[in-house]
Amino acid sequence: MPHLVDAYFSKSIIYICEHEHDGSIGLIINKNISNNKSEYILKESGLNSINPIPNIYFGGPVQMHRGLILHTCDYANYDSKVLSKHISITSNEQILSDLVNGCGPNKFRFTFGYAGWGESQLEREFENGDWLLLPASSGLIFDIPDNNKWEDAAKSFGIDIYDIFGSTGIS
C-alpha cells in the first residue's frame, strides 16, 4: 500500500513463493539492482553473453547474497520447485549454464535476496492494511515493464492508487 515508506517495500510487488504455518517467503518482482552491481553479477554468472541481457532484481532484504531465479515452468532441473501452474523457482548454478547455453526457461527473473515473514506476521500486515492481495499472474511478473507493474496492479482493483496515497500533484 502507498503508506509503506520503507525503502525496501515502498511500491513493491511481491510474489509469495511459500506461505506456511511458520512463515512466508516472497520475491519482490519490480525492483532492479543498481547498474554497477548488475554488471558485476552478469559478468560473474556469464549472463552478459545472452541476448537480450537480463536485468538483475532485488528480491528482498533477507539473504541478499543468495541468487534465486523465478521462471516459467517450461524449464526444470533437480533443484527446481514448481510454485504454480506457470511459475517455478530454481536456485542453483545449473540454470545459469542452461541459460547461457540457450536451454533455460523462456522467461525468468534473476533475483538476489527475498522477503520473509515470521509466523502470522504476514497475516497481521494484511489485517493492518499494509498490503493488497491479488492472484499471481505470470503476465504481471514477466511481461509488464517494471516501472508500470505497481500502477497496473493497483488498476486491477479498479482504484486510482494516488487517491489512496492522499497526495496531489504527483506526476
PDB file of all heavy atoms in Angstrom, residues 72-110:
ATOM      1  N   THR A  72       9.426 -19.376 -15.817  1.00  0.00           N
ATOM      2  CA  THR A  72       8.286 -20.126 -16.346  1.00  0.00           C
ATOM      3  C   THR A  72       8.549 -21.627 -16.189  1.00  0.00           C
ATOM      4  O   THR A  72       9.693 -22.075 -16.069  1.00  0.00           O
ATOM      5  CB  THR A  72       8.051 -19.765 -17.822  1.00  0.00           C
ATOM      6  OG1 THR A  72       9.290 -19.881 -18.537  1.00  0.00           O
ATOM      7  CG2 THR A  72       7.512 -18.358 -17.966  1.00  0.00           C
ATOM      8  N   CYS A  73       7.469 -22.402 -16.200  1.00  0.00           N
ATOM      9  CA  CYS A  73       7.564 -23.852 -15.958  1.00  0.00           C
ATOM     10  C   CYS A  73       8.020 -24.654 -17.176  1.00  0.00           C
ATOM     11  O   CYS A  73       7.962 -25.885 -17.149  1.00  0.00           O
ATOM     12  CB  CYS A  73       6.220 -24.376 -15.462  1.00  0.00           C
ATOM     13  SG  CYS A  73       5.842 -23.861 -13.778  1.00  0.00           S
ATOM     14  N   ASP A  74       8.485 -23.982 -18.220  1.00  0.00           N
ATOM     15  CA  ASP A  74       9.000 -24.709 -19.376  1.00  0.00           C
ATOM     16  C   ASP A  74      10.409 -25.226 -19.123  1.00  0.00           C
ATOM     17  O   ASP A  74      11.033 -25.808 -20.013  1.00  0.00           O
ATOM     18  CB  ASP A  74       8.969 -23.827 -20.631  1.00  0.00           C
ATOM     19  CG  ASP A  74       9.745 -22.534 -20.452  1.00  0.00           C
ATOM     20  OD1 ASP A  74      10.075 -22.168 -19.313  1.00  0.00           O
ATOM     21  OD2 ASP A  74      10.012 -21.875 -21.469  1.00  0.00           O
ATOM     22  N   TYR A  75      10.918 -25.046 -17.925  1.00  0.00           N
ATOM     23  CA  TYR A  75      12.272 -25.480 -17.552  1.00  0.00           C
ATOM     24  C   TYR A  75      12.221 -26.081 -16.161  1.00  0.00           C
ATOM     25  O   TYR A  75      11.480 -25.603 -15.286  1.00  0.00           O
ATOM     26  CB  TYR A  75      13.229 -24.287 -17.543  1.00  0.00           C
ATOM     27  CG  TYR A  75      14.594 -24.637 -16.987  1.00  0.00           C
ATOM     28  CD1 TYR A  75      15.584 -25.139 -17.819  1.00  0.00           C
ATOM     29  CD2 TYR A  75      14.877 -24.486 -15.635  1.00  0.00           C
ATOM     30  CE1 TYR A  75      16.824 -25.482 -17.314  1.00  0.00           C
ATOM     31  CE2 TYR A  75      16.114 -24.830 -15.117  1.00  0.00           C
ATOM     32  CZ  TYR A  75      17.080 -25.314 -15.955  1.00  0.00           C
ATOM     33  OH  TYR A  75      18.326 -25.671 -15.466  1.00  0.00           O
ATOM     34  N   ALA A  76      13.026 -27.105 -15.942  1.00  0.00           N
ATOM     35  CA  ALA A  76      13.201 -27.676 -14.606  1.00  0.00           C
ATOM     36  C   ALA A  76      14.533 -28.401 -14.559  1.00  0.00           C
ATOM     37  O   ALA A  76      14.980 -28.962 -15.559  1.00  0.00           O
ATOM     38  CB  ALA A  76      12.072 -28.640 -14.268  1.00  0.00           C
ATOM     39  N   ASN A  77      15.177 -28.345 -13.391  1.00  0.00           N
ATOM     40  CA  ASN A  77      16.322 -29.203 -13.130  1.00  0.00           C
ATOM     41  C   ASN A  77      16.127 -29.798 -11.744  1.00  0.00           C
ATOM     42  O   ASN A  77      15.075 -29.598 -11.124  1.00  0.00           O
ATOM     43  CB  ASN A  77      17.660 -28.462 -13.333  1.00  0.00           C
ATOM     44  CG  ASN A  77      17.974 -27.418 -12.273  1.00  0.00           C
ATOM     45  OD1 ASN A  77      17.656 -27.569 -11.092  1.00  0.00           O
ATOM     46  ND2 ASN A  77      18.614 -26.330 -12.694  1.00  0.00           N
ATOM     47  N   TYR A  78      17.113 -30.516 -11.242  1.00  0.00           N
ATOM     48  CA  TYR A  78      16.956 -31.241  -9.982  1.00  0.00           C
ATOM     49  C   TYR A  78      16.631 -30.353  -8.784  1.00  0.00           C
ATOM     50  O   TYR A  78      16.140 -30.832  -7.766  1.00  0.00           O
ATOM     51  CB  TYR A  78      18.226 -32.057  -9.686  1.00  0.00           C
ATOM     52  CG  TYR A  78      19.452 -31.198  -9.474  1.00  0.00           C
ATOM     53  CD1 TYR A  78      19.809 -30.736  -8.211  1.00  0.00           C
ATOM     54  CD2 TYR A  78      20.262 -30.834 -10.544  1.00  0.00           C
ATOM     55  CE1 TYR A  78      20.917 -29.939  -8.014  1.00  0.00           C
ATOM     56  CE2 TYR A  78      21.375 -30.038 -10.365  1.00  0.00           C
ATOM     57  CZ  TYR A  78      21.704 -29.593  -9.102  1.00  0.00           C
ATOM     58  OH  TYR A  78      22.807 -28.804  -8.909  1.00  0.00           O
ATOM     59  N   ASP A  79      16.875 -29.039  -8.902  1.00  0.00           N
ATOM     60  CA  ASP A  79      16.654 -28.129  -7.786  1.00  0.00           C
ATOM     61  C   ASP A  79      15.415 -27.256  -7.967  1.00  0.00           C
ATOM     62  O   ASP A  79      15.073 -26.471  -7.097  1.00  0.00           O
ATOM     63  CB  ASP A  79      17.897 -27.233  -7.624  1.00  0.00           C
ATOM     64  CG  ASP A  79      17.881 -26.414  -6.357  1.00  0.00           C
ATOM     65  OD1 ASP A  79      17.550 -26.973  -5.291  1.00  0.00           O
ATOM     66  OD2 ASP A  79      18.182 -25.211  -6.433  1.00  0.00           O
ATOM     67  N   SER A  80      14.731 -27.373  -9.093  1.00  0.00           N
ATOM     68  CA  SER A  80      13.577 -26.517  -9.365  1.00  0.00           C
ATOM     69  C   SER A  80      12.397 -26.891  -8.481  1.00  0.00           C
ATOM     70  O   SER A  80      12.163 -28.063  -8.195  1.00  0.00           O
ATOM     71  CB  SER A  80      13.156 -26.632 -10.831  1.00  0.00           C
ATOM     72  OG  SER A  80      14.187 -26.211 -11.684  1.00  0.00           O
ATOM     73  N   LYS A  81      11.664 -25.855  -8.073  1.00  0.00           N
ATOM     74  CA  LYS A  81      10.457 -26.068  -7.283  1.00  0.00           C
ATOM     75  C   LYS A  81       9.303 -25.408  -8.019  1.00  0.00           C
ATOM     76  O   LYS A  81       9.346 -24.212  -8.311  1.00  0.00           O
ATOM     77  CB  LYS A  81      10.610 -25.453  -5.891  1.00  0.00           C
ATOM     78  CG  LYS A  81       9.397 -25.646  -5.010  1.00  0.00           C
ATOM     79  CD  LYS A  81       9.618 -25.080  -3.624  1.00  0.00           C
ATOM     80  CE  LYS A  81       8.358 -25.274  -2.797  1.00  0.00           C
ATOM     81  NZ  LYS A  81       8.490 -24.702  -1.464  1.00  0.00           N
ATOM     82  N   VAL A  82       8.286 -26.183  -8.346  1.00  0.00           N
ATOM     83  CA  VAL A  82       7.101 -25.648  -9.014  1.00  0.00           C
ATOM     84  C   VAL A  82       6.274 -24.903  -7.969  1.00  0.00           C
ATOM     85  O   VAL A  82       5.925 -25.460  -6.923  1.00  0.00           O
ATOM     86  CB  VAL A  82       6.278 -26.774  -9.672  1.00  0.00           C
ATOM     87  CG1 VAL A  82       4.990 -26.231 -10.254  1.00  0.00           C
ATOM     88  CG2 VAL A  82       7.101 -27.470 -10.746  1.00  0.00           C
ATOM     89  N   LEU A  83       5.967 -23.635  -8.261  1.00  0.00           N
ATOM     90  CA  LEU A  83       5.201 -22.809  -7.336  1.00  0.00           C
ATOM     91  C   LEU A  83       3.739 -22.693  -7.740  1.00  0.00           C
ATOM     92  O   LEU A  83       2.868 -22.499  -6.898  1.00  0.00           O
ATOM     93  CB  LEU A  83       5.816 -21.409  -7.245  1.00  0.00           C
ATOM     94  CG  LEU A  83       7.277 -21.352  -6.804  1.00  0.00           C
ATOM     95  CD1 LEU A  83       7.804 -19.927  -6.875  1.00  0.00           C
ATOM     96  CD2 LEU A  83       7.436 -21.916  -5.388  1.00  0.00           C
ATOM     97  N   SER A  84       3.486 -22.763  -9.044  1.00  0.00           N
ATOM     98  CA  SER A  84       2.127 -22.682  -9.566  1.00  0.00           C
ATOM     99  C   SER A  84       2.110 -23.369 -10.929  1.00  0.00           C
ATOM    100  O   SER A  84       3.118 -23.905 -11.370  1.00  0.00           O
ATOM    101  CB  SER A  84       1.680 -21.220  -9.699  1.00  0.00           C
ATOM    102  OG  SER A  84       2.324 -20.595 -10.794  1.00  0.00           O
ATOM    103  N   LYS A  85       0.985 -23.302 -11.592  1.00  0.00           N
ATOM    104  CA  LYS A  85       0.848 -23.918 -12.906  1.00  0.00           C
ATOM    105  C   LYS A  85       1.828 -23.314 -13.925  1.00  0.00           C
ATOM    106  O   LYS A  85       2.254 -23.988 -14.853  1.00  0.00           O
ATOM    107  CB  LYS A  85      -0.590 -23.745 -13.391  1.00  0.00           C
ATOM    108  CG  LYS A  85      -0.907 -24.435 -14.677  1.00  0.00           C
ATOM    109  CD  LYS A  85      -2.383 -24.276 -15.015  1.00  0.00           C
ATOM    110  CE  LYS A  85      -2.705 -24.933 -16.339  1.00  0.00           C
ATOM    111  NZ  LYS A  85      -4.125 -24.750 -16.685  1.00  0.00           N
ATOM    112  N   HIS A  86       2.208 -22.048 -13.735  1.00  0.00           N
ATOM    113  CA  HIS A  86       3.031 -21.353 -14.716  1.00  0.00           C
ATOM    114  C   HIS A  86       4.381 -20.876 -14.193  1.00  0.00           C
ATOM    115  O   HIS A  86       5.203 -20.403 -14.977  1.00  0.00           O
ATOM    116  CB  HIS A  86       2.275 -20.134 -15.260  1.00  0.00           C
ATOM    117  CG  HIS A  86       0.970 -20.485 -15.887  1.00  0.00           C
ATOM    118  ND1 HIS A  86       0.878 -21.081 -17.121  1.00  0.00           N
ATOM    119  CD2 HIS A  86      -0.304 -20.342 -15.432  1.00  0.00           C
ATOM    120  CE1 HIS A  86      -0.395 -21.287 -17.405  1.00  0.00           C
ATOM    121  NE2 HIS A  86      -1.129 -20.856 -16.398  1.00  0.00           N
ATOM    122  N   ILE A  87       4.633 -20.973 -12.891  1.00  0.00           N
ATOM    123  CA  ILE A  87       5.818 -20.357 -12.297  1.00  0.00           C
ATOM    124  C   ILE A  87       6.578 -21.352 -11.434  1.00  0.00           C
ATOM    125  O   ILE A  87       5.993 -22.073 -10.626  1.00  0.00           O
ATOM    126  CB  ILE A  87       5.414 -19.127 -11.463  1.00  0.00           C
ATOM    127  CG1 ILE A  87       4.692 -18.112 -12.360  1.00  0.00           C
ATOM    128  CG2 ILE A  87       6.634 -18.478 -10.815  1.00  0.00           C
ATOM    129  CD1 ILE A  87       3.996 -17.002 -11.615  1.00  0.00           C
ATOM    130  N   SER A  88       7.906 -21.347 -11.603  1.00  0.00           N
ATOM    131  CA  SER A  88       8.807 -22.174 -10.804  1.00  0.00           C
ATOM    132  C   SER A  88       9.935 -21.299 -10.278  1.00  0.00           C
ATOM    133  O   SER A  88      10.116 -20.160 -10.707  1.00  0.00           O
ATOM    134  CB  SER A  88       9.409 -23.301 -11.653  1.00  0.00           C
ATOM    135  OG  SER A  88       8.432 -24.217 -12.059  1.00  0.00           O
ATOM    136  N   ILE A  89      10.721 -21.879  -9.369  1.00  0.00           N
ATOM    137  CA  ILE A  89      11.899 -21.187  -8.845  1.00  0.00           C
ATOM    138  C   ILE A  89      13.050 -22.180  -8.794  1.00  0.00           C
ATOM    139  O   ILE A  89      12.848 -23.358  -8.494  1.00  0.00           O
ATOM    140  CB  ILE A  89      11.603 -20.566  -7.454  1.00  0.00           C
ATOM    141  CG1 ILE A  89      12.706 -19.598  -7.054  1.00  0.00           C
ATOM    142  CG2 ILE A  89      11.364 -21.629  -6.413  1.00  0.00           C
ATOM    143  CD1 ILE A  89      12.340 -18.723  -5.864  1.00  0.00           C
ATOM    144  N   THR A  90      14.232 -21.699  -9.134  1.00  0.00           N
ATOM    145  CA  THR A  90      15.432 -22.532  -9.118  1.00  0.00           C
ATOM    146  C   THR A  90      16.569 -21.705  -8.536  1.00  0.00           C
ATOM    147  O   THR A  90      16.683 -20.516  -8.820  1.00  0.00           O
ATOM    148  CB  THR A  90      15.792 -23.009 -10.542  1.00  0.00           C
ATOM    149  OG1 THR A  90      14.662 -23.710 -11.092  1.00  0.00           O
ATOM    150  CG2 THR A  90      16.991 -23.941 -10.541  1.00  0.00           C
ATOM    151  N   SER A  91      17.428 -22.351  -7.753  1.00  0.00           N
ATOM    152  CA  SER A  91      18.491 -21.595  -7.089  1.00  0.00           C
ATOM    153  C   SER A  91      19.850 -22.290  -7.177  1.00  0.00           C
ATOM    154  O   SER A  91      20.604 -22.294  -6.217  1.00  0.00           O
ATOM    155  CB  SER A  91      18.124 -21.354  -5.628  1.00  0.00           C
ATOM    156  OG  SER A  91      18.011 -22.577  -4.930  1.00  0.00           O
ATOM    157  N   ASN A  92      20.169 -22.865  -8.329  1.00  0.00           N
ATOM    158  CA  ASN A  92      21.486 -23.481  -8.451  1.00  0.00           C
ATOM    159  C   ASN A  92      22.212 -22.978  -9.704  1.00  0.00           C
ATOM    160  O   ASN A  92      21.632 -22.278 -10.535  1.00  0.00           O
ATOM    161  CB  ASN A  92      21.383 -25.008  -8.453  1.00  0.00           C
ATOM    162  CG  ASN A  92      20.580 -25.545  -9.617  1.00  0.00           C
ATOM    163  OD1 ASN A  92      20.536 -24.965 -10.693  1.00  0.00           O
ATOM    164  ND2 ASN A  92      19.906 -26.657  -9.400  1.00  0.00           N
ATOM    165  N   GLU A  93      23.471 -23.329  -9.831  1.00  0.00           N
ATOM    166  CA  GLU A  93      24.272 -22.848 -10.957  1.00  0.00           C
ATOM    167  C   GLU A  93      23.910 -23.519 -12.278  1.00  0.00           C
ATOM    168  O   GLU A  93      24.203 -22.981 -13.339  1.00  0.00           O
ATOM    169  CB  GLU A  93      25.756 -23.025 -10.653  1.00  0.00           C
ATOM    170  CG  GLU A  93      26.222 -22.090  -9.550  1.00  0.00           C
ATOM    171  CD  GLU A  93      27.705 -22.149  -9.321  1.00  0.00           C
ATOM    172  OE1 GLU A  93      28.460 -22.490 -10.255  1.00  0.00           O
ATOM    173  OE2 GLU A  93      28.120 -21.850  -8.186  1.00  0.00           O
ATOM    174  N   GLN A  94      23.271 -24.675 -12.243  1.00  0.00           N
ATOM    175  CA  GLN A  94      22.895 -25.366 -13.477  1.00  0.00           C
ATOM    176  C   GLN A  94      21.992 -24.508 -14.347  1.00  0.00           C
ATOM    177  O   GLN A  94      22.143 -24.455 -15.558  1.00  0.00           O
ATOM    178  CB  GLN A  94      22.208 -26.704 -13.158  1.00  0.00           C
ATOM    179  CG  GLN A  94      21.804 -27.494 -14.389  1.00  0.00           C
ATOM    180  CD  GLN A  94      23.002 -27.903 -15.247  1.00  0.00           C
ATOM    181  OE1 GLN A  94      23.973 -28.413 -14.716  1.00  0.00           O
ATOM    182  NE2 GLN A  94      22.935 -27.666 -16.547  1.00  0.00           N
ATOM    183  N   ILE A  95      21.061 -23.797 -13.735  1.00  0.00           N
ATOM    184  CA  ILE A  95      20.157 -22.965 -14.517  1.00  0.00           C
ATOM    185  C   ILE A  95      20.921 -21.837 -15.210  1.00  0.00           C
ATOM    186  O   ILE A  95      20.590 -21.459 -16.333  1.00  0.00           O
ATOM    187  CB  ILE A  95      18.980 -22.422 -13.669  1.00  0.00           C
ATOM    188  CG1 ILE A  95      17.921 -21.781 -14.585  1.00  0.00           C
ATOM    189  CG2 ILE A  95      19.459 -21.470 -12.606  1.00  0.00           C
ATOM    190  CD1 ILE A  95      16.624 -21.419 -13.889  1.00  0.00           C
ATOM    191  N   LEU A  96      21.978 -21.326 -14.565  1.00  0.00           N
ATOM    192  CA  LEU A  96      22.792 -20.285 -15.204  1.00  0.00           C
ATOM    193  C   LEU A  96      23.464 -20.841 -16.453  1.00  0.00           C
ATOM    194  O   LEU A  96      23.452 -20.210 -17.515  1.00  0.00           O
ATOM    195  CB  LEU A  96      23.834 -19.740 -14.229  1.00  0.00           C
ATOM    196  CG  LEU A  96      23.288 -19.017 -13.002  1.00  0.00           C
ATOM    197  CD1 LEU A  96      24.423 -18.640 -12.060  1.00  0.00           C
ATOM    198  CD2 LEU A  96      22.475 -17.799 -13.402  1.00  0.00           C
ATOM    199  N   SER A  97      24.048 -22.027 -16.338  1.00  0.00           N
ATOM    200  CA  SER A  97      24.679 -22.666 -17.503  1.00  0.00           C
ATOM    201  C   SER A  97      23.652 -22.919 -18.598  1.00  0.00           C
ATOM    202  O   SER A  97      23.930 -22.684 -19.779  1.00  0.00           O
ATOM    203  CB  SER A  97      25.304 -24.007 -17.107  1.00  0.00           C
ATOM    204  OG  SER A  97      26.355 -23.810 -16.214  1.00  0.00           O
ATOM    205  N   ASP A  98      22.482 -23.382 -18.207  1.00  0.00           N
ATOM    206  CA  ASP A  98      21.442 -23.663 -19.197  1.00  0.00           C
ATOM    207  C   ASP A  98      20.975 -22.384 -19.888  1.00  0.00           C
ATOM    208  O   ASP A  98      20.721 -22.382 -21.100  1.00  0.00           O
ATOM    209  CB  ASP A  98      20.265 -24.393 -18.546  1.00  0.00           C
ATOM    210  CG  ASP A  98      20.627 -25.824 -18.152  1.00  0.00           C
ATOM    211  OD1 ASP A  98      21.638 -26.355 -18.665  1.00  0.00           O
ATOM    212  OD2 ASP A  98      19.899 -26.400 -17.325  1.00  0.00           O
ATOM    213  N   LEU A  99      20.876 -21.292 -19.152  1.00  0.00           N
ATOM    214  CA  LEU A  99      20.505 -20.019 -19.766  1.00  0.00           C
ATOM    215  C   LEU A  99      21.563 -19.566 -20.767  1.00  0.00           C
ATOM    216  O   LEU A  99      21.242 -19.154 -21.883  1.00  0.00           O
ATOM    217  CB  LEU A  99      20.293 -18.938 -18.696  1.00  0.00           C
ATOM    218  CG  LEU A  99      18.991 -19.037 -17.922  1.00  0.00           C
ATOM    219  CD1 LEU A  99      19.052 -18.214 -16.643  1.00  0.00           C
ATOM    220  CD2 LEU A  99      17.817 -18.606 -18.789  1.00  0.00           C
ATOM    221  N   VAL A 100      22.831 -19.653 -20.379  1.00  0.00           N
ATOM    222  CA  VAL A 100      23.932 -19.259 -21.270  1.00  0.00           C
ATOM    223  C   VAL A 100      23.950 -20.137 -22.520  1.00  0.00           C
ATOM    224  O   VAL A 100      24.209 -19.655 -23.628  1.00  0.00           O
ATOM    225  CB  VAL A 100      25.287 -19.309 -20.521  1.00  0.00           C
ATOM    226  CG1 VAL A 100      26.457 -19.159 -21.481  1.00  0.00           C
ATOM    227  CG2 VAL A 100      25.329 -18.237 -19.437  1.00  0.00           C
ATOM    228  N   ASN A 101      23.640 -21.430 -22.364  1.00  0.00           N
ATOM    229  CA  ASN A 101      23.661 -22.369 -23.486  1.00  0.00           C
ATOM    230  C   ASN A 101      22.363 -22.407 -24.284  1.00  0.00           C
ATOM    231  O   ASN A 101      22.222 -23.216 -25.198  1.00  0.00           O
ATOM    232  CB  ASN A 101      24.003 -23.775 -22.985  1.00  0.00           C
ATOM    233  CG  ASN A 101      25.421 -23.840 -22.470  1.00  0.00           C
ATOM    234  OD1 ASN A 101      26.330 -23.222 -23.021  1.00  0.00           O
ATOM    235  ND2 ASN A 101      25.610 -24.569 -21.378  1.00  0.00           N
ATOM    236  N   GLY A 102      21.411 -21.552 -23.939  1.00  0.00           N
ATOM    237  CA  GLY A 102      20.169 -21.463 -24.700  1.00  0.00           C
ATOM    238  C   GLY A 102      19.139 -22.521 -24.390  1.00  0.00           C
ATOM    239  O   GLY A 102      18.179 -22.694 -25.146  1.00  0.00           O
ATOM    240  N   CYS A 103      19.305 -23.237 -23.279  1.00  0.00           N
ATOM    241  CA  CYS A 103      18.318 -24.267 -22.950  1.00  0.00           C
ATOM    242  C   CYS A 103      17.682 -24.034 -21.575  1.00  0.00           C
ATOM    243  O   CYS A 103      17.202 -24.968 -20.947  1.00  0.00           O
ATOM    244  CB  CYS A 103      18.930 -25.669 -23.055  1.00  0.00           C
ATOM    245  SG  CYS A 103      20.447 -25.908 -22.141  1.00  0.00           S
ATOM    246  N   GLY A 104      17.648 -22.781 -21.151  1.00  0.00           N
ATOM    247  CA  GLY A 104      16.995 -22.412 -19.895  1.00  0.00           C
ATOM    248  C   GLY A 104      15.542 -22.065 -20.140  1.00  0.00           C
ATOM    249  O   GLY A 104      15.007 -22.276 -21.235  1.00  0.00           O
ATOM    250  N   PRO A 105      14.897 -21.502 -19.147  1.00  0.00           N
ATOM    251  CA  PRO A 105      13.491 -21.119 -19.301  1.00  0.00           C
ATOM    252  C   PRO A 105      13.325 -19.977 -20.297  1.00  0.00           C
ATOM    253  O   PRO A 105      14.242 -19.171 -20.492  1.00  0.00           O
ATOM    254  CB  PRO A 105      13.091 -20.675 -17.896  1.00  0.00           C
ATOM    255  CG  PRO A 105      14.371 -20.291 -17.227  1.00  0.00           C
ATOM    256  CD  PRO A 105      15.418 -21.169 -17.826  1.00  0.00           C
ATOM    257  N   ASN A 106      12.148 -19.899 -20.924  1.00  0.00           N
ATOM    258  CA  ASN A 106      11.867 -18.819 -21.874  1.00  0.00           C
ATOM    259  C   ASN A 106      11.809 -17.463 -21.182  1.00  0.00           C
ATOM    260  O   ASN A 106      12.263 -16.465 -21.736  1.00  0.00           O
ATOM    261  CB  ASN A 106      10.549 -19.066 -22.611  1.00  0.00           C
ATOM    262  CG  ASN A 106      10.684 -20.152 -23.645  1.00  0.00           C
ATOM    263  OD1 ASN A 106      11.732 -20.345 -24.223  1.00  0.00           O
ATOM    264  ND2 ASN A 106       9.596 -20.881 -23.854  1.00  0.00           N
ATOM    265  N   LYS A 107      11.225 -17.414 -19.990  1.00  0.00           N
ATOM    266  CA  LYS A 107      11.111 -16.157 -19.249  1.00  0.00           C
ATOM    267  C   LYS A 107      11.617 -16.389 -17.835  1.00  0.00           C
ATOM    268  O   LYS A 107      11.316 -17.411 -17.225  1.00  0.00           O
ATOM    269  CB  LYS A 107       9.657 -15.680 -19.216  1.00  0.00           C
ATOM    270  CG  LYS A 107       9.114 -15.334 -20.583  1.00  0.00           C
ATOM    271  CD  LYS A 107       7.675 -14.892 -20.497  1.00  0.00           C
ATOM    272  CE  LYS A 107       7.132 -14.579 -21.898  1.00  0.00           C
ATOM    273  NZ  LYS A 107       5.740 -14.117 -21.832  1.00  0.00           N
ATOM    274  N   PHE A 108      12.385 -15.405 -17.322  1.00  0.00           N
ATOM    275  CA  PHE A 108      12.932 -15.558 -15.978  1.00  0.00           C
ATOM    276  C   PHE A 108      13.282 -14.203 -15.384  1.00  0.00           C
ATOM    277  O   PHE A 108      13.389 -13.210 -16.087  1.00  0.00           O
ATOM    278  CB  PHE A 108      14.174 -16.453 -15.989  1.00  0.00           C
ATOM    279  CG  PHE A 108      15.372 -15.837 -16.662  1.00  0.00           C
ATOM    280  CD1 PHE A 108      16.340 -15.176 -15.916  1.00  0.00           C
ATOM    281  CD2 PHE A 108      15.533 -15.914 -18.043  1.00  0.00           C
ATOM    282  CE1 PHE A 108      17.437 -14.601 -16.531  1.00  0.00           C
ATOM    283  CE2 PHE A 108      16.631 -15.350 -18.665  1.00  0.00           C
ATOM    284  CZ  PHE A 108      17.590 -14.688 -17.909  1.00  0.00           C
ATOM    285  N   ARG A 109      13.454 -14.209 -14.057  1.00  0.00           N
ATOM    286  CA  ARG A 109      13.934 -13.054 -13.294  1.00  0.00           C
ATOM    287  C   ARG A 109      14.990 -13.562 -12.346  1.00  0.00           C
ATOM    288  O   ARG A 109      14.722 -14.430 -11.521  1.00  0.00           O
ATOM    289  CB  ARG A 109      12.810 -12.411 -12.490  1.00  0.00           C
ATOM    290  CG  ARG A 109      11.804 -11.798 -13.379  1.00  0.00           C
ATOM    291  CD  ARG A 109      10.813 -10.966 -12.584  1.00  0.00           C
ATOM    292  NE  ARG A 109      10.250 -10.075 -13.561  1.00  0.00           N
ATOM    293  CZ  ARG A 109      10.563  -8.800 -13.711  1.00  0.00           C
ATOM    294  NH1 ARG A 109      11.376  -8.222 -12.904  1.00  0.00           N
ATOM    295  NH2 ARG A 109      10.036  -8.089 -14.668  1.00  0.00           N
ATOM    296  N   PHE A 110      16.193 -13.013 -12.465  1.00  0.00           N
ATOM    297  CA  PHE A 110      17.309 -13.369 -11.592  1.00  0.00           C
ATOM    298  C   PHE A 110      17.295 -12.380 -10.437  1.00  0.00           C
ATOM    299  O   PHE A 110      17.500 -11.194 -10.625  1.00  0.00           O
ATOM    300  CB  PHE A 110      18.605 -13.292 -12.385  1.00  0.00           C
ATOM    301  CG  PHE A 110      19.814 -13.890 -11.711  1.00  0.00           C
ATOM    302  CD1 PHE A 110      19.744 -14.549 -10.502  1.00  0.00           C
ATOM    303  CD2 PHE A 110      21.040 -13.780 -12.333  1.00  0.00           C
ATOM    304  CE1 PHE A 110      20.872 -15.096  -9.913  1.00  0.00           C
ATOM    305  CE2 PHE A 110      22.185 -14.319 -11.758  1.00  0.00           C
ATOM    306  CZ  PHE A 110      22.101 -14.975 -10.543  1.00  0.00           C
TER     307      PHE A 110
END
